[in-house]
Amino acid sequence: MSPRRRSLGGMALVVVLVWLVGYPLLITLLEALGLPAAFSLAPFLEFASRADEWRALWQSLWISAASVVLAALVGVPLGLVFEGTEFPGRRTLGALIALPVALPPLVGVIAFLFLYGESGFVSRAVQTVLGLDQAPWRLSGPAAILLVHAYSMYVYFYLFTRAALVRIDASVLEAAASLGAGRRRRFFRVTLPLLGPALVGAALLTFMTSLASFSAPYIFGGGFRVMTTQIVASKLNGQIAMAQVETVTLALLAFLGLWAMRRAEPGRTAVVGGVRGIAPIRRQLQRPMVRLGAATLGWGLALLLLLPHLTLLVISFVPPGTWTTEAIPPVLDGSNYRSLASTPERLRPVVNSLWMASAATLGAIVLGLSAARTAVRRGGRLGGLLETLLSVPWALPGTVFAIALATAFSVNRPELGRFILVGTPWILP
């Protein structure tokens, strides 16, 4: 392909991505400012004067920060153990522990509801054992949100920690040992600083994921509002201008997070954390009882972390109306699956999800690979612009992008690149 045609292809990709990514956000910002009718800061001033908006913003920030801390407390030790120690079943367990990241957010929340909710397996078992008249707890409020976030987001710290440990040069640790540093001193003075970039990346990723979280705050939040649920509440109450201002505010926070992530890219610290020799040798557990204890503890932990998945599996075999007050379901059969396969109105959502996901995947592959190939080949400002446009939809909370798309594609103005997609299935892919 000639350089001229490659240049035109690159510009065409930029135009498409700007239309898909930047244009809806720009329209949302302009409409929040009252344009094109009449410029007005009234919605922004109203936002600044309302205590509930500031409360939702503050609660989004502290929930995200607390989610980072809890996820790190779970994920980092797991990464250190599974990458630094050799014991029976380590590889299998290491893969199983990473499974929660594959559970869709809404499905994970529903699983927690069936497992730890007021009428869930665990609460009913505790109620039966202790002979209580009512459920021992309520799964609601910020504590419930943090529980779900910690469960679903510790994987980021776990995977980042393991990947960073593999990149550490064993000779650095050997040099520290030869200078008289003990195991604890080597960890705090050598290993931990080398893990710093990975931990910063995991923290930023967790913070942004928590900031974008909707399912857990929506189902467990109750009166505890965060910005994602506040946007939906404003939209449902007909406060369109306020929803747009909230969308712009949350988008700005997401852009700040994206900027911080790009500043903390691993490539900036490759010299510090890069492998120059071999990775550290895993500590071998020699005593049979210690090995057995480690394997037992590992499998127990994996079972605990996979309980929500197993709960969903069990619940899928419970016929409707058969499980009321018992601690465990009294009947298990395959009637739900037979009903799903034989009832068109129940099968249709599954079919719709599959074809929409397939269409979205095909479009993402074509657009993503084309843009990535062009960005790598061209480099410079065009490559940087393409990379930025590709990363923006990932960084933005789904609620923000949904409001932006609904704003941009709710009117028919072909001359402005706006078409009516709201109310059609095509806006989802």
Side-chain angles (χ1 to χ4, degrees), residues 116-390:
Y116 300 113
E118 292 179 64
S119 58
F121 284 111
V122 175
S123 59
R124 288 193 182 190
V126 172
Q127 184 177 350
T128 301
V129 171
L130 299 180
L132 303 177
D133 296 329
Q134 56 185 4
W137 59 70
R138 290 192 62 199
L139 193 63
S140 64
I145 297 172
L146 288 175
L147 176 64
V148 176
H149 282 185
Y151 168 81
S152 57
M153 299 175 192
Y154 79 85
V155 181
Y156 300 136
F157 280 94
Y158 168 71
L159 294 177
F160 274 52
T161 299
R162 292 195 65 174
L165 286 173
V166 171
R167 296 179 59 199
I168 293 178
D169 189 350
S171 63
V172 177
L173 299 176
E174 293 171 358
S178 66
L179 292 174
R183 182 176 298 168
R184 180 177 300 181
R185 187 176 180 83
R186 290 200 303 271
F187 174 77
F188 284 103
R189 299 297 297 272
V190 181
T191 303
L192 199 57
L194 292 178
L195 291 178
L199 297 181
V200 170
L204 287 169
L205 180 57
T206 303
F207 186 88
M208 293 176 66
T209 305
S210 177
L211 192 67
S213 176
F214 175 79
S215 299
Y218 183 74
I219 292 180
F220 293 135
F224 185 86
R225 290 274 181 87
V226 294
M227 285 304 295
T228 51
T229 55
Q230 187 77 359
I231 290 172
V232 173
S234 297
K235 186 78 163 57
L236 293 177
N237 291 331
Q239 300 176 349
I240 305 301
M242 185 56 59
Q244 291 173 338
V245 173
E246 293 161 351
T247 299
V248 171
T249 303
L250 192 54
L252 289 176
L253 289 177
F255 281 127
L256 286 174
L258 178 61
W259 173 82
M261 286 199 68
R262 299 194 70 168
R263 293 282 297 177
E265 285 177 352
R268 297 178 181 272
T269 52
V271 175
V272 178
V275 175
R276 298 182 180 179
I278 60 173
I281 299 175
R282 297 185 186 91
R283 181 185 177 190
Q284 300 290 330
L285 300 179
Q286 302 296 341
R287 298 180 181 178
M289 292 303 296
V290 174
R291 290 170 59 85
L292 178 61
T296 303
L297 182 62
W299 282 105
L301 179 62
L303 179 63
L304 177 65
L305 295 174
L306 294 177
L307 271 180
H309 301 70
L310 299 176
T311 299
L312 288 177
L313 180 62
V314 172
I315 291 297
S316 70
F317 288 100
V318 178
T322 61
W323 186 28
T324 54
T325 61
E326 298 85 358
I328 60 175
V331 180
L332 297 175
D333 60 32
S335 60
N336 291 330
Y337 290 96
R338 290 193 296 269
S339 177
L340 177 66
S342 61
T343 309
E345 58 267 24
R346 293 184 177 179
L347 187 60
R348 190 175 299 116
V350 178
V351 175
N352 288 340
S353 296
L354 288 175
W355 81 255
M356 287 183 181
S358 300
T361 301
L362 179 61
I365 289 174
V366 172
L367 189 60
L369 287 180
S370 300
R373 184 168 178 265
T374 303
V376 171
R377 285 193 169 188
R378 294 297 305 275
R381 293 183 178 179
L382 180 62
L385 179 59
L386 284 171
E387 289 182 357
T388 300
L389 289 171
L390 287 172

Side-chain angles (χ1 to χ4, degrees), residues 62-78:
W62 83 253
I63 278 285
S64 299
S67 298
V68 170
V69 174
L70 293 176
L73 290 176
V74 177
V76 174
L78 285 177

